[in-house]
Amino acid sequence: MCGIVGYFGPSQNSVEIVLEGLKRLEYRGYDSAGVSFIDEHNELQNYKKAGKLDNLKEELKGKNLIARTCIGHTRWATHGGVTDENAHPHHNDILSIIHNGIIENANELKKELMSQGVKFKSETDSESFLELVSFELRNGKPILEAISDSFRRIHGNSAFVVLYPKTGEIFAIKRGAPLVCGINEITSEALVSSDPYALAGIVHKLYFPEDEVIVHLSGGNKNLVNFYELDLTKTTRYLSKKQDMTVTVSEKGEYEHFMLKEIHEQPELIRNLTQYYFAGEGRETLERIGHFSPKRIYISACGTAAYAGLVVRDFLEGINRIPTNVELASEFRYRNPILSEGDFGIFVSQSGETADTLAAQSLCKKSGIKTLSIVNVDGSTLFRECDDNLLIRAGVEIGVASTKAFTQQALTGRLMSAAFAGDLKDENKKVALSGKFALLAERIDKLLAASDSIKTVAEAIYNYKGFFYTGRGAYFPIALEGALKLKEIAYVHAEGYASGELKHGPIALIDEEMVNIALVAPDLFEKTVSNIQEIKARKGVIVSVGPRGNQELQALSDYYIPLDFDGLEELAPLYVNVVNQLLAYYMAKFKGTDIDKPRNLAKSVTVE
Ligand code: AGP
């Protein structure tokens, strides 16, 4: 999704600061970039280019970039093609704006403005906001009032940042889209962004404004940042949080891709999770949530997060015997679900900004049922909208294809299950569960150390026509997630299927060009092996991921990835999932795709 960064402060290097912020947001996916700034002659400068940030930097070479105030944007095209003209910022002689989201009534606004003589330069919906505010300014309204009156007319979810050349001040406002601002009181700097990650290490304090709050970066006059309601009264409708200045920008380090680094981070994150929730800052939250007593649970999420939701459902039904439905948020929000008192909505998300998941949460909130997030980004919209939250503690996830977040989402759900079961009162149970988490971490460490064997299998199969991932029971969600990983980063067709379902149709696809990655759990061994035999009989290529040292399985398989399941019990599917993460990573590597920023994808889908 689009990236927003704005800076107003004493540094005359604001353009470089904004470009660095945009670079940090590259992982979110984009197809053009631009900046607007007020140069040392108080002139508005605007540069924007289709393509990657490097194209913009090339454009800026040799230009006078001395400026104290600058806004920048990376655009993921929605309305209007990928062209220089459609890139943001959009500007005219008195204003410059950047925009995330969709203006649903843009055509109507454009018609009205064109009837008043306004000429539009781009195909975008965003430009209608630029010209609305400019129209109000030209008619004598002060900037705050012009922004407020214009924003009231905007339909749909949007975040805007406005650069006002007359004073150099920056304004921002949003509805249903991510926006965060931050200050460094020592350096008197103020920044605004669509993602806290862009501000990491620069600001001491973060502010998350609520919908329809105007943010004003004053450049040091009075407060560094001010907040107003649409009626222009001061407001405190924002969440403020101290920012850990030691948070540094995630670097790839020794890894070729962020995705591989994040796969390798998993063992340590797993160990830290029980520490955080059993003995650290998260203990009180988990204990509080343990007092909830849901009669029925609806888990709603998208993509990988929805598959993590399926893993959590297996915990909640298997351990807690709580009836639990997993609903794709994009369906759930329009399904008019039957929600009753005692129901509980749980929303799983890495970014906490996924539009469909936010809409599903809003539906539940309006129905009066309690809502809880299992989320990675502290302070995100989902975090702020839910009644309570369980942070998954995955750290910044740069790779668009989610890996460590999936594991942490599922394991945080396991800790929630323990809380619902009353296990937090029993030290022995907590020690046993911590031990199981530690064993999972250890097994994944060993798997990662031996990942060359998985790379060899990936090299052997990456050119096949299509892939089935099959699994039963708790491994069915892992089959779905494994197939999604491969689709996302290797651009090959893959399907996750319940092993028992293949013979009900899909087996017609099996031939010597199709690979079946069979997830074979010890507890469902016989049934899963018979499914493999059905595929084998039709010349399908078999990759088995199953118990180590099983001769029968080895004899049946073209490729066999042996694993040690003992002691992992309900956590074993998350161990098998790492094999799929590595298979997808290496197959994509052999195919030469852009693993961290796959084509067409965005890290956080903040539009419908
Ligand atoms: C996962 O690899 C994908 N990037 C995508 O399916 C993602 O999980 C989905 O868009 C949900 O995002 P969220 O977790 O930030 O809500």
Side-chain angles (χ1 to χ4, degrees), residues 302-305 348-352 354 357 400-402 409 484-485 488 602-605:
C302 300
T304 284
V348 184
S349 177
Q350 190 287 126
S351 64
T354 301
T357 308
V400 167
S402 187
Q409 285 161 354
L484 177 59
K485 284 290 98 47
E488 278 192 289
K603 181 60 183 171
S604 170
V605 185

Side-chain angles (χ1 to χ4, degrees), residues 145-355:
E145 193 179 343
I147 290 170
S148 170
D149 290 354
S150 303
F151 188 75
R152 289 173 199 270
R153 300 193 59 197
I154 298 294
H155 299 168
N157 290 339
S158 283
F160 295 101
V161 175
V162 175
L163 175 58
Y164 185 43
K166 192 173 175 188
T167 60
E169 292 169 310
I170 292 175
F171 300 85
I173 188 167
K174 64 98 174 181
R175 179 193 302 118
L179 190 70
V180 60
C181 61
I183 61 172
N184 183 323
E185 286 148 319
I186 297 167
T187 58
S188 294
E189 295 176 313
L191 293 96
V192 63
S193 181
S194 51
D195 185 333
Y197 183 54
L199 310 183
I202 304 172
V203 299
H204 290 100
K205 208 167 179 185
L206 290 175
Y207 298 93
F208 296 87
E210 293 188 22
D211 283 356
E212 302 191 348
V213 166
I214 302 173
V215 178
H216 167 218
L217 306 190
S218 67
N221 323 319
K222 304 193 295 297
N223 305 329
L224 289 169
V225 63
N226 305 286
F227 302 91
Y228 303 96
E229 295 294 347
L230 288 178
D231 64 8
L232 309 189
T233 55
K234 284 253 183 190
T235 185
T236 57
R237 274 195 315 121
Y238 53 78
L239 173 75
S240 64
K241 297 177 78 60
K242 287 222 177 305
Q243 163 87 325
D244 174 0
M245 284 297 279
T246 60
V247 172
T248 52
V249 178
S250 181
E251 296 299 342
K252 282 187 283 196
E254 80 216 63
Y255 297 96
E256 188 179 351
H257 297 99
F258 278 110
M259 181 179 176
L260 187 61
K261 177 186 177 219
E262 289 154 6
I263 290 171
H264 281 255
E265 285 176 352
Q266 291 176 116
E268 186 182 353
L269 292 170
I270 292 167
R271 294 185 186 100
N272 294 345
L273 194 63
T274 45
Q275 171 60 28
Y276 176 78
Y277 276 114
F278 284 172
E281 277 175 64
R283 177 178 184 152
E284 190 188 319
T285 302
L286 191 62
E287 285 171 356
R288 180 174 64 245
I289 281 160
H291 296 312
F292 294 145
S293 52
K295 299 286 173 289
R296 162 174 290 284
I297 292 174
Y298 288 94
I299 297 176
S300 191
C302 300
T304 284
Y307 300 150
L310 287 169
V311 176
V312 176
R313 176 208 56 196
D314 290 341
F315 297 145
L316 292 170
E317 291 204 337
I319 297 166
N320 306 94
R321 306 306 290 161
I322 300 173
T324 302
N325 286 24
V326 177
E327 304 272 352
L328 291 174
S330 54
E331 292 294 311
F332 186 64
R333 64 182 292 189
Y334 293 116
R335 195 165 67 74
N336 191 18
I338 300 161
L339 301 172
S340 322
E341 195 178 334
D343 287 354
F344 206 78
I346 296 179
F347 304 87
V348 184
S349 177
Q350 190 287 126
S351 64
E353 301 298 347
T354 301

